[in-house]
Amino acid sequence: MLFDLWDGLSLFKKIYDQSLEPVCKKYQLTRMELDILLFLANNPAYDTATDIVEVRHLTKSHVSASVKTLQARGYLQRVYLSGNRKTAHLRLAPAAEPVVEKGRRAQ
């Protein structure tokens, strides 16, 4: 029974990965970059790099590098709330809208 469950989860993950691959290729994104964009779009209450690391259990260095790339490409903006210049809140830029739309369809 446990083996069947594991096989089912593995198959689901493989199909999910294959469905997102065309979106990554079209927009020249890594899977991590697309995952971050979709995470921010689908979870607006979690809007910091620390949130992404903690909720998704991803490595801090990979998230940091991906956020920098997404910001440089115009997909993300860092916003600092008044009185707190330490914590950067991540906002999707308008350029990310078509990527998120296609990513959500693929999901």
Side-chain angles (χ1 to χ4, degrees):
M1 175 72 174
L2 181 60
F3 184 73
D4 292 337
L5 179 61
W6 183 255
D7 285 345
L9 290 173
S10 295
L11 179 61
F12 176 79
K13 183 178 177 343
K14 184 177 181 178
I15 292 169
Y16 182 75
D17 291 344
Q18 288 175 348
S19 69
L20 292 177
E21 187 177 334
V23 179
C24 290
K25 284 184 179 181
K26 177 174 181 159
Y27 293 99
Q28 298 176 348
L29 296 169
T30 65
R31 178 59 193 278
M32 174 78 70
E33 292 163 351
L34 180 59
D35 284 348
I36 289 170
L37 292 176
L38 291 173
F39 178 84
L40 291 169
N42 294 332
N43 302 281
Y46 299 101
D47 65 351
T48 67
T50 300
D51 290 337
I52 297 167
V53 169
E54 291 176 357
V55 173
R56 292 291 316 277
H57 304 289
L58 302 171
T59 61
K60 185 177 177 180
S61 60
H62 287 121
V63 171
S64 178
S66 294
V67 166
K68 285 180 185 177
T69 300
L70 290 167
Q71 186 179 6
R73 294 186 62 190
Y75 291 131
L76 282 183
Q77 300 169 339
R78 291 176 190 253
V79 175
Y80 295 91
L81 303 179
S82 65
N84 184 353
R85 295 277 307 150
K86 188 175 181 179
T87 303
H89 294 269
L90 304 172
R91 301 286 185 258
L92 294 172
E97 289 177 18
V99 179
V100 169
E101 181 184 331
K102 290 204 184 307
R104 281 180 165 164
R105 276 196 240 141
Q107 282 182 320

